């Protein structure tokens, strides 16, 4: 006997399948191959044959702040869960971005050009490999090794490199006593069901794609330094004096802001154990990366909150910063409110990790449980930067997105995230990041469809296609569906793909199934097709108490209709229509207005309505 729920899901699936046939998206052959292999499915869920590889990393490093030299060993247990026999294993050596001769998409200072990662020793399953057995080109290293389906292979690598002093591209020295250190260890590249090995080099602009892994890290630094990192500090009592161990524990259970390290205490010392060096141990499970930061003069504010009321699970939020940067005094509040808003408002999903540390650095970059943010003079900029980078916790980290190819699948979400969360933190804010940038490039020869691979973008199209344009696409669908249904659809996507590697069609299909609506007409127009946003006020007629207002779509992009009506008595009225008015392909929409008041002016558009020609967005009543 079939249950009502199962019957309803079957009917929805059948309806959606029929709708797909009526309005489909163009699908590349490598994506079709994944459907045929059963690793992906057209309802958005992972296919019955879906797989992904994983690894267990044990990292031990010693970092010398005076020389910026990092010496390390990494042991990797890599599991081949694919149906393929691997005859090569590809590694990523991200610090080779600074290596002499590497291809880069952004400049670095001459003093930061290095010899790259030096591999002193590499063994595979206990057998030492000759340097002739692996090839290094830029940030890629290829090793000849055979790994059958279902088998594991063990690697031991001893390596070193010199951290950049300037040219702070996501990692490097912040000042003489502060360093943010990311992408610092050799790692196995992603081998997936779409492309096989991720062979795309890291060039500086495009971001990252890594497998979910388990990390144990031991970080040895001089005794007067503290360390913050991805994962949980497992030996706090070995590196901190008792007072600070208790403060950290108390902050993890308290809603109030705790000063864990004050400026006076920082000057007085006695924070870390009095040893020539201390080794800080961290553990993180099921994350895509590991980063850490150190300082000998930063203060530390912390607070925590319940992010999941069903389990009372809490997340601790940290702000670690140079006390000379007074603007950072409020960052702890911005960060805490961001985690709260993400858990309860948008995307309304319990914050997935035990802590989030915002570190005072020289970039604007996210990592699992860590943020590297430069100080900002204006409070608005500090709010928008903080919530944008923390929002990345969901996309790409919790969702395992391939940022290298599909930057819009994470940056677009962080953009709509800051639009929504910034006014929650400060109701006076209207965050427009990305909108004017898209409007400036729309329709020009540099304007490319969002679906264009990020590796194929440069210049203004890179920024527009990564941030503003996809952010607007998500924003318009939220407006169309309403907050409740949009959240339901988004949660369906998150439920299916967190801890995995979704690609664009998984997202589109999940949103269709999760909402019960075929949104392909919009996905195709906004994400695949060319065209421009250009609405115009057509004719306006007035007879008695009836106004008829025609809004024309003189472009090709479906954007909402927002009419601002200014009456002669000084009152203002907004008439709003979602993108649904363009669903059938019509080129104009007629709005009837019954009022005894007289209109003085009509303007078309709002903050989030880009328009390449605003000259036709104003109507003035005849005198």
């Amino acid at each position: 006997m079939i249950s009502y729920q199962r019957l309803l899901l079957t009917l929805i699936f059948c309806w959606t399948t029929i709708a797909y046939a009526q309005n489909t998206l163009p699908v590349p052959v490598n994506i079709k191959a994944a459907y045929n292999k059963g690793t992906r499915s057209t309802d958005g869920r992972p296919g019955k044959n879906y797989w992904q590889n994983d690894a267990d990393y044990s990292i031990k490093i010693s970092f010398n702040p005076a020389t910026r030299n990092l010496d390390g060993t990494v042991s990797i247990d890599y599991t081949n869960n694919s149906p393929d026999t691997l005859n090569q294993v590809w590694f990523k050596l991200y610090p080779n971005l600074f290596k002499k001769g590497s291809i880069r998409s952004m400049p670095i200072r001459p003093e930061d050009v290095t010899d790259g990662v030096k591999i002193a020793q590499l063994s595979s399953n206990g057998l030492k490999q000759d340097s002739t057995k692996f090839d290094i080109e830029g940030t890629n290293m290829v090793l000849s090794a055979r790994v059958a389906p279902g088998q594991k292979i063990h690697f031991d690598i001893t390596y070193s490199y010199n951290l950049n002093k300037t040219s702070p591209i996501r990692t490097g020295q912040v000042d003489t006593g502060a360093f943010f250190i990311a992408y610092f260890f050799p790692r196995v590249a992603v081998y997936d069901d779409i492309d096989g090995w991720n062979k795309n080099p890291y060039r500086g602009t495009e971001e990252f794609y890594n497998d979910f892994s388990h990390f144990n890290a031991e970080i040895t630094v001089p005794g007067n330094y503290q360390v913050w990192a991805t994962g949980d500090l497992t030996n706090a009592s070995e590196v901190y004096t008792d007072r600070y161990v208790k403060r950290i524990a108390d902050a993890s259970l308290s809603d109030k802001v705790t000063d864990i390290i004050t400026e006076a205490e920082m000057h007085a010392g006695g924070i870390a154990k009095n040893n020539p060096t201390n080794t800080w141990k961290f553990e993180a499970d099921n994350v895509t990366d590991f980063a850490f930061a150190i300082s000998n003069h930063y203060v530390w504010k912390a607070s925590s909150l319940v992010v999941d009321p069903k389990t009372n699970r809490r997340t601790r939020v940290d702000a670690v910063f140079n006390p000379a940067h007074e603007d950072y005094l409020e960052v702890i509040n911005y960060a805490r409110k961001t985690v709260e808003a993400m858990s309860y408002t948008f995307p309304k999903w319990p914050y997935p990790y035990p802590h989030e540390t915002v570190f005072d650095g020289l970039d604007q970059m996210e990592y699992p449980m860590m943020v590297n943010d430069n100080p900002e003079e204006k409070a608005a900029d500090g709010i928008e930067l903080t919530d944008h980078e923390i929002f990345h916790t969901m996309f790409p980290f919790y969702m395992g997105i391939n940022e290298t190819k599909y930057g819009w699948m994470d940056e677009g979400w962080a953009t709509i995230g800051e639009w929504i969360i910034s006014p929650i933190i400060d109701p006076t804010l209207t965050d427009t990041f990305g909108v004017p940038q898209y409007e400036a490039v729309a329709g020009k020869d540099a304007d490319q469809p969002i679906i264009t691979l990020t590796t194929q973008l440069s210049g203004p199209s890179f920024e527009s296609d990564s941030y503003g344009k996809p952010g607007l696409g998500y924003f318009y669908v939220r407006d169309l569906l309403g907050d409740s249904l949009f959240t339901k659809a988004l949660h369906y996507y998150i439920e299916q793909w967190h801890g995995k590697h979704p690609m664009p069609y998984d997202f589109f299909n999940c949103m269709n199934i999760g909402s019960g609506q075929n949104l392909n007409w919009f996905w195709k127009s906004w994400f695949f097709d060319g065209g421009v946003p250009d609405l115009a006020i057509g004719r306006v007629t007035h007879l008695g108490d009836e106004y008829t207002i025609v809004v024309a779509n003189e472009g090709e992009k479906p954007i909402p209709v927002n009419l601002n009506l200014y009456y002669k008595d000084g009152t203002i009225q907004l008439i709003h229509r979602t993108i649904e008015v363009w669903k059938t392909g019509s080129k104009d929409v007629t709005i009837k207005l019954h009022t005894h008041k007289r209109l003085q002016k009509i303007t078309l558009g709002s903050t989030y309505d880009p328009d390449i020609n605003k000259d036709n967005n104003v109507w003035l009543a005849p005198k």
Side-chain angles (χ1 to χ4, degrees):
M1 180 177 179
I2 188 168
S3 70
Y4 173 77
Q5 186 177 19
R6 287 180 61 197
L7 177 61
L8 181 61
L9 287 171
T10 301
L11 290 173
I12 290 174
F13 176 74
C14 292
W15 175 87
T16 309
T17 302
I18 293 170
Y20 284 161
Q22 296 171 344
N23 198 347
T24 59
L25 301 177
V27 182
V29 294
N30 55 328
I31 307 300
K32 290 180 180 178
Y35 292 146
N36 293 335
K37 291 183 294 186
T39 57
R40 313 269 165 164
S41 62
T42 55
D43 64 1
R45 296 180 297 179
K48 62 179 181 179
N49 297 325
Y50 178 79
W51 55 267
Q52 63 191 52
N53 293 346
D54 56 66
D56 193 316
Y57 289 83
S58 180
I59 305 169
K60 296 181 179 181
I61 69 109
S62 176
F63 180 71
N64 185 335
T67 63
R68 290 175 286 106
N69 193 69
L70 186 148
D71 290 290
T73 63
V74 56
S75 296
I76 309 170
D77 286 309
Y78 180 72
T79 304
N80 178 19
N81 296 313
S82 81
D84 308 323
T85 295
L86 307 179
N87 294 309
Q88 294 178 325
V89 176
W90 284 62
F91 290 79
K92 295 296 180 184
L93 305 178
Y94 290 133
N96 277 2
L97 176 71
F98 295 91
K99 184 179 180 180
K100 182 179 180 180
S102 289
I103 297 174
R104 288 180 287 271
S105 56
M106 55 179 62
I108 64 173
R109 294 177 66 89
E111 56 266 34
D112 286 316
V113 177
T114 69
D115 294 327
V117 177
K118 299 177 181 178
I119 306 293
Q121 182 174 313
L122 190 157
S123 65
S124 172
N125 285 338
L127 298 176
K128 184 177 179 180
Q129 300 294 310
D130 190 298
S131 61
T132 60
K133 296 289 182 68
F134 51 90
D135 297 323
I136 298 177
E137 183 174 347
T139 57
N140 287 334
M141 179 173 74
V142 186
L143 175 68
S144 296
R146 188 179 187 278
V147 194
Q151 283 191 344
K152 290 186 177 181
I153 187 170
H154 181 84
F155 300 102
D156 289 299
I157 305 173
T158 302
Y159 70 101
S160 64
Y161 76 94
N162 201 244
L163 184 74
N164 50 301
K165 183 177 182 179
T166 55
S167 310
I169 304 173
R170 304 188 176 95
T171 182
Q173 180 171 331
V174 180
D175 60 33
T176 55
F179 304 80
F180 198 102
I181 304 174
Y183 324 117
F184 63 92
F185 58 95
R187 72 195 72 198
V188 181
V190 175
Y191 183 85
D192 68 20
D193 62 312
I194 302 294
D195 299 317
W197 288 111
N198 171 25
K199 299 180 180 180
N200 291 305
Y202 171 46
R203 302 182 301 178
T205 303
E206 304 94 344
E207 295 183 13
F208 304 93
Y209 184 33
N210 297 307
D211 272 322
F212 287 88
S213 302
H214 180 87
F215 292 92
N216 276 295
E218 298 185 11
I219 301 163
T220 301
V221 293
N224 61 330
Y225 277 81
Q226 287 84 55
V227 182
W228 298 264
T230 300
D232 296 322
L233 177 63
T234 61
N235 69 330
S237 61
E238 296 177 9
V239 291
Y240 279 116
T241 53
D242 292 344
R243 174 192 299 182
Y244 299 98
V245 174
K246 185 177 187 304
R247 285 185 188 175
I248 296 169
D250 290 346
S252 299
L253 298 173
S254 176
D255 289 350
K256 71 176 184 178
V257 175
T258 299
D259 287 306
I260 294 181
I261 300 175
T262 67
E263 185 173 2
E265 291 168 338
M266 179 264 296
H267 288 301
I271 298 168
K273 289 293 180 73
N274 186 23
N275 298 313
T277 63
N278 287 315
T279 298
W280 304 68
K281 299 178 181 179
F282 295 88
E283 183 174 9
D285 191 33
N286 204 32
V287 293
T288 58
D289 203 356
F290 187 97
F292 70 96
I294 72 170
S295 177
N296 63 5
H297 65 285
Y298 274 21
V299 299
W300 179 4
K301 290 180 178 289
S303 180
S304 71
L305 66 153
V306 173
V307 294
D308 187 352
K310 293 181 180 178
T311 63
N312 283 324
R313 180 173 60 82
R314 302 181 75 92
T315 290
R316 193 190 75 234
V317 183
D318 304 321
V320 180
F321 57 98
N322 186 335
H325 298 155
E326 294 184 1
D327 57 296
Y328 241 94
L329 292 170
E330 288 298 318
V331 167
I332 185 64
N333 297 316
Y334 307 155
R336 191 182 192 282
K337 289 178 181 178
T338 298
V339 170
E340 182 179 39
M342 289 177 65
S343 300
Y344 295 100
T345 305
F346 183 77
K348 207 172 184 178
W349 188 275
Y351 202 77
Y353 300 117
H355 75 81
E356 181 69 37
T357 301
V358 183
F359 190 84
D360 180 357
L362 292 176
D363 211 302
Q364 302 182 350
M365 188 61 193
E366 70 283 353
Y367 320 78
M369 304 183 221
M370 298 287 288
V371 168
N372 173 14
D373 278 353
N374 58 271
E376 294 282 2
E377 291 184 5
K378 298 179 181 178
D381 293 337
I383 291 170
E384 294 165 10
L385 174 58
T386 301
D387 58 33
H388 181 106
E389 303 307 339
I390 292 179
F391 200 90
H392 275 301
T393 296
M394 293 297 296
F395 312 92
F397 301 128
Y398 192 59
M399 297 298 288
I401 287 162
N402 184 347
E403 300 176 90
T404 308
K405 288 178 64 177
Y406 314 120
W408 59 271
M409 289 185 71
D410 76 293
E411 293 295 356
W413 283 112
T415 299
I416 184 179
E418 69 166 279
W419 292 345
I420 294 170
I421 294 175
S422 293
I424 294 175
I425 299 173
D426 181 352
T428 67
L429 286 182
T430 300
D431 190 333
T432 63
F433 170 69
V435 181
Q437 290 86 345
Y438 168 47
E439 195 171 67
V441 74
K444 297 178 180 177
D445 55 4
D447 186 17
Q448 300 297 316
I450 298 172
I451 202 68
T452 306
L453 298 184
T454 304
T455 53
Q456 299 171 354
L457 295 172
S458 63
S461 62
F462 179 92
E463 182 175 9
S464 177
D465 278 2
S466 299
Y467 296 88
K469 204 194 304 187
L472 289 167
Y474 305 144
F475 197 74
Y476 296 160
V477 172
R478 182 174 183 254
D479 180 45
L480 169 68
L481 297 177
D483 185 59
S484 178
L485 184 55
F486 179 82
T487 300
K488 178 185 174 184
L490 180 57
H491 283 190
Y492 181 78
Y493 170 51
I494 295 172
E495 287 163 359
Q496 302 304 317
W497 287 100
H498 73 81
K500 301 180 178 68
H501 292 311
M503 52 84 178
Y505 295 86
D506 301 318
F507 164 70
F508 297 136
N509 293 334
C510 275
M511 293 297 289
N512 289 352
I513 293 293
S515 67
Q517 296 189 27
N518 181 6
L519 300 168
N520 285 348
W521 68 273
F522 179 73
W523 304 136
K524 186 174 184 302
S525 176
W526 195 263
F527 288 82
F528 290 79
D529 294 345
V532 297
D534 184 14
L535 298 188
I537 298 175
R539 64 183 182 278
V540 178
T541 58
H542 174 216
L543 182 61
D545 288 342
E546 297 287 341
Y547 282 91
T548 300
I549 308 167
V550 176
V551 177
N553 189 347
E554 299 191 352
E556 296 78 25
K557 292 295 187 186
I559 59 176
V561 174
N562 287 292
L563 287 171
N564 305 284
L565 310 180
Y566 296 83
Y567 292 98
K568 291 185 178 181
D569 65 0
T571 58
I572 303 172
Q573 179 185 357
L574 171 67
I575 293 179
H576 173 72
R577 298 290 186 270
T578 74
I579 54 172
E580 190 168 20
V581 297
W582 312 116
K583 180 178 179 179
T584 61
S586 61
K587 296 298 291 182
D588 58 59
V589 57
T590 299
I591 295 171
K592 299 283 189 179
L593 175 66
H594 180 85
T595 179
H596 66 277
K597 298 190 291 184
R598 293 296 174 258
L599 280 170
Q600 185 175 45
K601 181 173 71 170
I602 303 173
T603 64
L604 176 64
S606 75
T607 301
Y608 301 105
D609 301 341
D611 195 317
I612 65 164
N613 178 18
K614 296 184 178 179
D615 292 341
N616 51 20
N617 289 10
V618 179
W619 173 85
L620 298 174
K623 293 183 179 180

